[in-house]
Each structure stands twice: as structure tokens, then as C-alpha cells.
Amino acid sequence: MTDQSSNQMWGGRFAAGPDAIMEAINASIGYDQRMAAQDIAGSRAHAAMLAATGVITDNDAEAIREGLLTVLSEIDSGTFQFSTALEDIHMNVEARLKEIIGEPAGRLHTGRSRNDQVATDFKLWVRDQLDAAEAGLLALIKALLAQAEAGADWVMPGFTHLQVAQPVTWGHHMMAYVEMFGRDLSRVRDARARMNESPLGAAALAGTSFPIDRDMTASALGFDRPAANSLDAVSDRDFALEFLSAASICAVHLSRFAEELVIWSTAQFRFVTLSDRFSTGSSIMPQKKNPDAAELIRAKVGRIFGANTALMMVMKGLPLAYSKDMQEDKEQVFDAADNWMLALAAMEGMVKDMTANRDSLAAAAGSGFSTATDLADWMVRVLKVPFRDAHHVTGTLVAMAESRGCDLPDLSLEDMQGVHAGITADIFTVLGVENSVNSRMSYGGTAPAQVRQQVARWTDIIGA
């Protein structure tokens, strides 16, 4: 085969042949440069430990420390020249460090490998993202609590199958999402506590013969302890999988809420008005106000789910310890983290800015025979009628009201007694939506008093 035909086979981008392809597939600097701050923090801790244990001199450690700070400054200022030929952030930093301080740079890598180095960097980066997720969730929960407190006694329809079921309160509906995002907060905190073990010092896979102090580096980097098994330390990506799992579950909650906001903001519902900051107009229809932020949050779920699935597939067949496949762990996590944080911030902004339309909520709360269950419950409680019989009577009355184009409270007492003679005028005290929600005083119920109790409980939990 001629050189010309060979180049044609490789294609335009890789006309230089297999060397260009290998460099492209092997390099990760295009994305792992995002871990520069974590990489330099890990190297500084490692150098300080090497000096403290007598593996390198104090002078070399000081030169390394100052040189790393210079590198970090260059990266932060945008003057650092990243090289694909140097593969990753670790080699890029080390090469530049050598240009700055010379020979001492070569001693930095004593007692460690890129395997434990990348695991440490990645853990530090994911830990930072978990902290950011915690902050985002707390802010969103506070915004929901404010909505719940303001509308603790505002009636609205509750739905099952997106059909009107029973009246609830606006505050109760907001508190449902507080519970959901509260579980997300718990998962984030659990994941952070579980992952907070340092891989640094595990070296390639077997540890090192140098007298290193892994407790010292773990403490310096804010880890609770060093990871207890060097094989596991370099090959573990559970922390990234847990991060993506927590992100995926939270994304489901964000998407469900976004879906409700899309529905509620329509002209047909008019339950909420979203602020102009989180809506856009139509390019052709001047009357429209589109809930774009909610729709985009709903779409972000696919990217986060995809990242979770992709990393699961990367890890599922890998033998211990490190394999190059694991280079594919970061892009998925980076993208999911970006979209999760953005979705949390956007949802918090929408919740803080949105206005619940109390009159529309109240009008809808009384539609669709929403107090039918209250009628049946009254018959059971007052008349001692078996629930199944009360259910049948109520169904008959609903059919009667529907045929007349009215709601249950609009039926006369005589109409009701025609179906069940025991019904008294007292029935009308439970048929109003206000009476209905006020009666739901069981723990976790929709009664305004219960809603305010839950708001107070959550305010105490998060220290708002």
C-alpha cells in the first residue's frame, strides 16, 4: 500500500497516520484540565508530606510549593499553555513545574503514581460538586418553604392521574417537593461522607516502599482517612457513580416539578405566573409567554441519566486495578455536574420569582367534585354507614350533579335524602373546599395547621 493510499484511509483529520490517532485517543487534557486546582492541591500536600517524612529535602519541597503556586496562577489567569502531547493535567502541570524550578520537580512524583493521583484529583473535584449540590438544594428548599408558608391556607385541587381528586393547599403541594429535595440533600450528604477517603499514597496499585504518611496527606486534603486498600483506592469510581445516581434521582424531582410548572402556567390552568426572567416570548405570537427554563430543566434529565448509564457501562467489566477505560469517567461526570447545578439554580430562581394565582387555584379546587370523598367520609363518621355503601351513595350523587351540570354543594338536601334518607343538613359543613382541607389534620395532611408545622420542622432542620 502506498503512503498516499494509507493517508486517505486514515482520513483528513488523522492524515499523519496512527501516531495522531493514538495521541488523540490517549489524551484527556481537553477536559481534565478542569481538575487543575485539585491536582495542584494534591501535589502540594504530597510534597509537604515527603519533606516531613524525610523523603525529599525541605528546600526541594519549598521550591515545589512555590512552583506549583506559579503554575496555578498561570492556569487561573489563562496564560498556561496546555499540550495534548502531554496527555493529561498531571503531566502538563509537572512539565511546566520542571520548566520553572528545574530538578526538584522530578522528585515530586516520588511515592505516588498517576493512578492514585488521578483518583485523588477526581475525588476532590466530585467532593466540591457535592458541596455545590448541597448549597443548591438548600437554596431551593428555602425558596419552597417561603412559598409554602405564604400559601399554607390557599386551596387548590389535588390530582391523581392528572384528574381532580381532593382539595389540598398550595403550601401542602410545595412541601411535597421539600420532602423530595430533602431526600436528595440526604443522599448528597451520605455520598460525601462515604467517599471522603484519600487514595493518595496507594501508588500504582500496591502501595509504596517509601516511608510516606498517608494520614498526613489525607488530613491536609480534608479527607477523613486514607483508603484502606491500595488496589481498591486506585480502581474505585463508586464516588462518581454515587454522584451521578444522586444527580439522576434529583433530576427526576426537578423534571416532575418542571412539568407541573409548564402545565400550571398555561392559559388553561393559570395556577402560576412565572417571572419574565425565566420565560420567553414567542417570535410570532405576541400573546404567548413560554416557560423555557422549566422545559430546559425537564430536558436536562436525559443528559444526567445518560452520564449515569455511560459510567456504569465503563466500569462494569473492568478487572482490578486501573485500566485506561477509566479515563472515560470524567467527561460524563463533568457534563452531568454542570447541568445539575444549572438546573438547581434555575429551579430556585423560578420558585422564588413565581406568583401563585390564588383565585385560579381556589376556583379549580372546587371543580371536578373534589369533595366527594368528604361526603363519603361524613356518612361513615356520622351515619356509621359502611364505607363501601357510602362510596356507592356518593357516586350516585356525583352522577346526579353531573347530569344537572352542577357541583355537589349545589344539590339540595332533598336531592341527597332521595338517595339516602339519613343525610342531614350537616353534610354541607364538609362539602366546601375550605372545610375539606381544614379537616385533614392527620400528620402530614393538607390542613393549614399541619402545613405550618412541617414548614417549622424543615426550617429547623436546615437552619433557615
Side-chain angles (χ1 to χ4, degrees), residues 159-282:
F159 300 90
T160 62
H161 309 277
L162 205 55
Q163 305 294 315
V164 173
Q166 292 176 295
V168 296
T169 56
W170 173 258
H172 192 54
H173 204 114
M174 294 298 101
M175 290 306 296
Y177 282 103
V178 168
E179 292 291 331
M180 293 159 74
F181 292 120
R183 291 192 295 273
D184 292 322
L185 180 63
S186 176
R187 274 183 281 271
V188 164
R189 288 172 171 172
D190 284 351
R192 192 192 193 285
R194 193 162 23 254
M195 62 90 75
N196 207 33
E197 296 181 344
S198 173
L200 195 56
L205 74 162
T208 179
S209 59
F210 290 98
I212 62 172
D213 185 345
R214 293 190 63 209
D215 288 295
M216 179 179 174
T217 50
S219 177
L221 294 170
F223 288 111
D224 295 328
R225 65 192 70 85
N229 183 283
S230 58
L231 279 169
D232 177 57
V234 298
S235 60
D236 165 48
R237 292 299 182 269
D238 286 3
F239 62 92
L241 291 169
E242 275 203 79
F243 174 81
L244 292 174
S245 177
S248 295
I249 296 171
C250 182
V252 170
H253 298 154
L254 289 165
S255 183
R256 293 182 72 180
F257 196 13
E259 172 72 1
E260 294 206 305
L261 293 179
V262 169
I263 293 170
W264 289 352
S265 62
T266 62
Q268 289 74 22
F269 274 74
R270 299 185 186 276
F271 284 4
V272 299
T273 301
L274 300 177
S275 74
D276 291 344
R277 296 201 307 162
F278 294 96
S279 307
T280 63
S282 166

Side-chain angles (χ1 to χ4, degrees), residues 94-361:
E94 190 171 332
R96 178 60 182 143
L97 182 65
K98 186 174 182 180
E99 290 175 354
I100 296 170
I101 68 171
E103 184 183 8
R107 298 191 175 93
L108 172 59
H109 210 53
T110 307
R112 75 173 183 184
S113 161
R114 271 197 290 179
N115 292 355
D116 61 334
Q117 187 179 2
V118 68
T120 302
D121 292 0
F122 197 20
K123 264 199 175 183
L124 289 172
W125 194 91
V126 169
R127 192 178 69 184
D128 288 344
Q129 298 305 302
L130 287 169
D131 290 342
E134 177 176 6
L137 283 163
L138 284 170
L140 176 53
I141 288 170
K142 288 177 183 178
L144 288 164
L145 288 173
Q147 286 280 355
E149 189 169 27
D153 57 357
W154 299 358
V155 292
M156 67 174 289
F159 300 90
T160 62
H161 309 277
L162 205 55
Q163 305 294 315
V164 173
Q166 292 176 295
V168 296
T169 56
W170 173 258
H172 192 54
H173 204 114
M174 294 298 101
M175 290 306 296
Y177 282 103
V178 168
E179 292 291 331
M180 293 159 74
F181 292 120
R183 291 192 295 273
D184 292 322
L185 180 63
S186 176
R187 274 183 281 271
V188 164
R189 288 172 171 172
D190 284 351
R192 192 192 193 285
R194 193 162 23 254
M195 62 90 75
N196 207 33
E197 296 181 344
S198 173
L200 195 56
L205 74 162
T208 179
S209 59
F210 290 98
I212 62 172
D213 185 345
R214 293 190 63 209
D215 288 295
M216 179 179 174
T217 50
S219 177
L221 294 170
F223 288 111
D224 295 328
R225 65 192 70 85
N229 183 283
S230 58
L231 279 169
D232 177 57
V234 298
S235 60
D236 165 48
R237 292 299 182 269
D238 286 3
F239 62 92
L241 291 169
E242 275 203 79
F243 174 81
L244 292 174
S245 177
S248 295
I249 296 171
C250 182
V252 170
H253 298 154
L254 289 165
S255 183
R256 293 182 72 180
F257 196 13
E259 172 72 1
E260 294 206 305
L261 293 179
V262 169
I263 293 170
W264 289 352
S265 62
T266 62
Q268 289 74 22
F269 274 74
R270 299 185 186 276
F271 284 4
V272 299
T273 301
L274 300 177
S275 74
D276 291 344
R277 296 201 307 162
F278 294 96
S279 307
T280 63
S282 166
S283 63
I284 192 172
M285 294 167 282
Q287 83 282 6
K288 289 180 83 263
K289 185 176 180 181
N290 301 323
D292 284 8
E295 292 172 345
L296 288 167
I297 288 172
R298 193 172 56 186
K300 297 289 185 190
V301 173
R303 295 175 68 159
I304 295 172
F305 283 6
N308 193 17
T309 301
L311 186 53
M312 287 281 193
M313 294 301 292
V314 167
M315 298 302 299
K316 72 172 183 61
L318 299 187
L320 296 181
Y322 182 84
S323 298
K324 193 68 172 179
D325 310 51
M326 291 164 71
Q327 184 169 292
E328 290 296 307
D329 56 4
K330 295 168 199 68
E331 281 185 285
Q332 313 295 339
V333 177
F334 292 164
D335 185 74
D338 290 345
N339 285 285
W340 188 16
M341 303 314 149
L342 183 58
L344 283 171
M347 184 60 80
E348 183 218 350
M350 280 194 295
V351 171
K352 285 176 69 174
D353 286 3
M354 73 182 179
T355 301
N357 302 322
R358 188 175 183 179
D359 291 343
S360 295
L361 291 169

Side-chain angles (χ1 to χ4, degrees), residues 33-57:
Q33 61 185 261
R34 292 184 63 167
M35 301 191 303
Q38 290 79 16
D39 188 73
I40 289 171
S43 290
R44 289 181 63 192
H46 186 66
M49 178 276 296
L50 291 177
T53 55
V55 176
I56 66 174
T57 66

Side-chain angles (χ1 to χ4, degrees), residues 166-167 370-379 427 430 436 439-440:
Q166 292 176 295
S370 65
T371 56
T373 304
D374 296 278
L375 192 157
D377 287 348
W378 180 88
M379 293 183 67
I427 190 64
V430 303
S436 175
S439 71
R440 307 290 173 180

Side-chain angles (χ1 to χ4, degrees), residues 7-62:
N7 285 343
Q8 289 173 347
M9 189 178 101
W10 290 119
R13 184 174 178 185
F14 298 114
D19 289 347
I21 293 177
M22 188 58 199
E23 180 177 299
I25 198 171
N26 198 46
S28 59
I29 189 58
Y31 50 86
D32 71 10
Q33 61 185 261
R34 292 184 63 167
M35 301 191 303
Q38 290 79 16
D39 188 73
I40 289 171
S43 290
R44 289 181 63 192
H46 186 66
M49 178 276 296
L50 291 177
T53 55
V55 176
I56 66 174
T57 66
D58 289 340
N59 287 340
D60 282 348
E62 178 61 19

Side-chain angles (χ1 to χ4, degrees), residues 374-375 377-379 381-383 413 416-417 422-432 435:
D374 296 278
L375 192 157
D377 287 348
W378 180 88
M379 293 183 67
R381 188 172 60 252
V382 176
L383 303 182
L413 179 60
M416 295 187 185
Q417 288 176 335
I423 295 176
T424 69
D426 184 56
I427 190 64
F428 292 101
T429 65
V430 303
L431 289 181
N435 293 328

